[in-house]
Amino acid sequence: MATADWNPLGDVYLRKTELYSMGWADIVDLNKFVAVASCQYGGPIALLRDDAQTARVQVSTKPVITTYTAAGYQIGQMRWNSGQIVKMGWTVTEDLLCVQDDGVVLVYDFFLNFKRTFGLGQEAKDVKVIDCQIFNSFQGTGIAILTSTFRIFIINSVDDPRIRRLAEVPGLQTEPSSWTIINLDRQSRALVAKGKELYLIDHGGQFQYQSPQISAEVNEYVMMSVSYSNKYLAMFTDSGVIWIGSSDLQKCYCEFNTKSPQCPQQLAWCGSGAVVAMWDKIMLVVGPDKDWIKFQFDSPVHLTQEDDGLRIIQNYQHEFLHKVPDVTEKIFKIGSMEPGAMLYEANREFMKGSQKADEYVRMIKDKLDVAVDQCIQASGHELEPTKQKQLLRAASFGKCFLTDYNPQAFVDMCQMLRVLNQVRNHAIGIPLTYTQLEKLTTTVLIDRLVLRKFFAYAIKISQYLKIPEAEGSSRILAHWACYKVKQKNQDDEVIARAIAQKLGDTPGVSYSEVANEALECGREELAIRLLDYEPRAAHQVPLLMKMHKDQIALSKAIESGDTDLVYTVLLRLKESMTQGDFLMSIRSMPISYSLFLQYCRQQNPKLLEDLYYQEDNFIEEGNCKVMRSFDDERLDDRTETLNQAIKCYQKGRHDFVIKQTEDQIKLLKYQKRLEEEFNRPYMDLSLHQTIYRLTVENNFKVSEQLRKEFKVPDRRYWWIKIQALAEAGEWVELDKFSRNKKPPVGMEAFVEVCAKHHNVNEAMKYMSRVSPEQKVRCLVKVGNKKAAADTAFENRNEEELNFVLSKCGHSDRQLVEGIKTMKQQLGSKR
């Protein structure tokens, strides 16, 4: 019968289901261990054995910590060589926390490999820790400690251990009779019992006296337990009464007298609907309406609270106590007429070949969709695959009679159950329920499989659930590769080839990250081999430099074509090597050497000049000296530097550059003389700029002399003087200059500079002397498009008419029409 293992507790039923026959049976006796810590969500179990505390005679052996899966199979073991352990517990990421009496917390992974450590403050170290609570907070996993001075310190996250001291309990001179941590409204507070007085304290320095509704006589609250959701609280009094109420102590649901003067060894919650008290081998379950159930065990028991139930760990069995879900109760409760129950019976009769199946279906014809949903939901809450199949078959049977039913819920449940059944297997040992998986999420489940080194299972599940590669198989393969490089019993080449074959070109997997993991493990050669498979040089080079493989890094950077990357390596080499060795190492690589020269040109010209001197590159050495001459402030220093440049050019037999440099020296001396004569700046101007400025300043004779001295071509000189006179507004002088002799630049140059300075009248003076082929363009430049069109028409030149037409805008519509008429007339005359 489906209800054979149901136990009534008031209006609800509790069911105790066996999860595993423990793999440690006949090996582990929980009585011999001083501490047991079990991780929630079907996580691992840690046992601490200390023969010095349990043996009848004095022994000097060190304590031993052993970790097991939830199925009782050993994962790791280590001998404890540190301080006195006050508390062991697990984080939400399945790291083992060991809190010592000096306030030091040591963090170990699933396999008892040391990860890190942190302290809980100087006071904890000085006065010692006498009690500790490890709890789930809104930030992750938190730790609260009670010192021998009866002060409580708290951290809300072991990943970011910020220590806060809670307010002191008034008049507390002895150890509290009990205390616990309550998380409400994103704040962690401690509820402390000082005998029969209760105080709620926080890190803001505030304390609140609490007076819960309780009719029984209380001298002390000796034990407390907060539900998984932090909404409910249970307290055990010295008179044997269990008080059950809200965690804010404003409501009391019941007071149950256990009639036991002895304090229970454990007090826990089964979900949020029942409180469980454990005495040696007797377990008492109490409901909020004073209903109770008593269970007897043959061996010691450890209780672990879950969101939807309670895990019971024994020497030989691992069981799960939980409330029978409402939907399961509706289907299997004796005499139930719910649609799900009728559909389940209909399917059973159908499997027998009985006609009763049709009668059951007809009874729920209008609620068949509800019946299907109930069967699907109930299958998720079953731990036995046989019952899951029966319920899913019933749901599938019901779907056959529905035409518009969306099967997605059925498909999703089948997928989730396949995953759950797989991870519940003894070999993996994660006894998750469907409710727990919904809160944990499949992504975290895959992370937990990776943590246990079940890489193949993790990949198959992610592929089965069609999780994107970046979040699924690619990420898992990266973890596998990082684990693979830690296997020191295999050759580097074998591991590198195995990783490359497995990863291939998998998107989202970086060989550089795997190589970095190998480097962290001290396997430098393996890291170099793995980097050969990394396609991105930007990821290869930094790690090669980290390994001081600078020459390989430089070669990779050059092959990538990324100049920024090459510069990064070059600067690193420059800092780590002597200058001589550095230059010798990069000269054999032309690309890197040329890039370094470019760097020197920008950042270190003196070094660049020295390099050219060493190479007998006289022309470039001379160029460097010319550039350096501009930094000299005194004329004598500048001419001396330029003379040195001339010597370099002479060695390089470059006559043209020699002549240019000599002219530069002559110009500098000339400019110096001009500055002294006119008291105006001329230094560092070019020859053309000097002539231009002299002309603008009406020093026509000096500019003419400078032209003759440096043999400036006539055409170039005329252009400079025309532009300078126009800028100076010397229109009369410009007109004289145009009549001086036949200009080598044409009259259109005069028209252009006049138009440029918006002097149309002056421009028109030169229009009659402009050559016929340039006249139209000049008229357009001065803005006289009408005259330009007439001139083009007189010249019978359609190309010039098109030019004028292209320069017309929206305001020239009349002219545009006129030009079109002219073009038609020219066409007709042909």
Side-chain angles (χ1 to χ4, degrees), residues 429-464:
I430 305 178
L432 278 176
T433 65
Y434 181 74
T435 305
Q436 291 169 14
L437 180 60
E438 283 185 311
K439 294 197 174 182
L440 191 68
T441 73
T442 52
T443 304
V444 177
L445 174 60
I446 288 171
D447 286 341
R448 295 197 167 190
L449 289 172
V450 169
L451 186 67
R452 288 161 168 77
K453 316 302 182 195
F454 291 120
F455 301 107
Y457 281 118
I459 289 175
K460 285 178 181 177
I461 288 173
S462 63
Q463 290 172 344
Y464 176 66

Side-chain angles (χ1 to χ4, degrees), residues 90-132:
W90 294 90
T91 68
V92 291
T93 53
E94 296 193 324
D95 286 333
L96 181 64
L97 302 175
C98 297
V99 184
Q100 297 183 162
D101 62 353
D102 58 358
V104 175
V105 181
L106 291 92
V107 185
Y108 295 87
D109 70 5
F110 191 80
F111 296 94
L112 293 180
N113 297 311
F114 177 76
K115 293 182 72 172
R116 59 194 171 90
T117 183
F118 60 89
L120 295 173
Q122 188 62 38
E123 184 170 340
K125 183 177 180 180
D126 293 340
V127 302
K128 301 302 181 184
V129 177
I130 58 173
D131 198 6
C132 176

Side-chain angles (χ1 to χ4, degrees), residues 121-318:
Q122 188 62 38
E123 184 170 340
K125 183 177 180 180
D126 293 340
V127 302
K128 301 302 181 184
V129 177
I130 58 173
D131 198 6
C132 176
Q133 301 266 358
I134 297 174
F135 60 93
N136 291 338
S137 73
F138 57 92
Q139 292 180 339
T141 302
I143 299 176
I145 56 169
L146 177 68
T147 66
S148 59
T149 54
F150 315 123
R151 288 176 178 167
I152 295 176
F153 295 84
I154 192 170
I155 60 170
N156 284 318
S157 173
V158 294
D159 297 320
D160 182 19
R162 298 180 184 178
I163 306 162
R164 294 181 175 89
R165 193 178 89 176
L166 301 188
E168 295 187 24
V169 177
L172 185 63
Q173 300 297 324
T174 58
E175 184 177 347
S177 52
S178 62
W179 65 288
T180 191
I181 300 296
I182 299 174
N183 277 284
L184 284 177
D185 303 323
R186 296 182 63 82
Q187 186 179 8
S188 300
R189 290 176 287 187
L191 181 65
V192 182
K194 188 183 78 171
K196 62 181 179 179
E197 297 176 6
L198 293 173
Y199 293 90
L200 195 62
I201 58 176
D202 59 31
H203 60 77
Q206 302 295 317
F207 67 86
Q208 298 174 9
Y209 176 73
Q210 304 292 317
S211 53
Q213 303 171 12
I214 184 166
S215 57
E217 184 180 346
V218 178
N219 293 320
E220 278 188 333
Y221 293 98
V222 294
M223 189 171 281
M224 298 180 184
S225 178
V226 181
S227 68
Y228 187 92
S229 64
N230 277 270
K231 292 180 180 179
Y232 307 106
L233 174 70
M235 297 186 290
F236 192 87
T237 71
D238 60 332
S239 57
V241 172
I242 298 177
W243 182 92
I244 302 174
S246 60
S247 58
D248 59 5
L249 290 98
Q250 300 302 308
K251 293 180 181 178
C252 173
Y253 299 117
C254 86
E255 296 174 31
F256 183 83
N257 190 351
T258 63
K259 298 178 182 178
S260 171
Q262 186 181 357
C263 177
Q265 294 161 343
Q266 298 173 74
L267 187 67
W269 281 83
C270 177
S272 295
V275 175
V276 179
M278 190 76 211
W279 288 269
D280 194 18
K281 297 177 183 179
I282 297 173
M283 187 173 79
L284 183 68
V285 183
V286 181
D289 297 321
K290 295 188 179 181
D291 303 293
W292 58 277
I293 308 170
K294 182 179 175 183
F295 293 96
Q296 191 86 24
F297 296 97
D298 298 328
S299 66
V301 169
H302 176 76
L303 307 177
T304 302
Q305 287 185 186
E306 295 284 3
D307 185 31
D308 58 342
L310 183 75
R311 282 164 52 206
I312 304 168
I313 301 167
Q314 307 166 55
N315 286 350
Y316 298 97
Q317 286 179 311
H318 190 164

Side-chain angles (χ1 to χ4, degrees), residues 580-596:
D581 292 340
F582 168 66
L583 294 173
M584 287 291 291
S585 66
I586 65 172
R587 273 201 175 100
S588 59
M589 300 178 180
I591 295 175
S592 64
Y593 189 61
S594 62
L595 285 171
F596 182 68

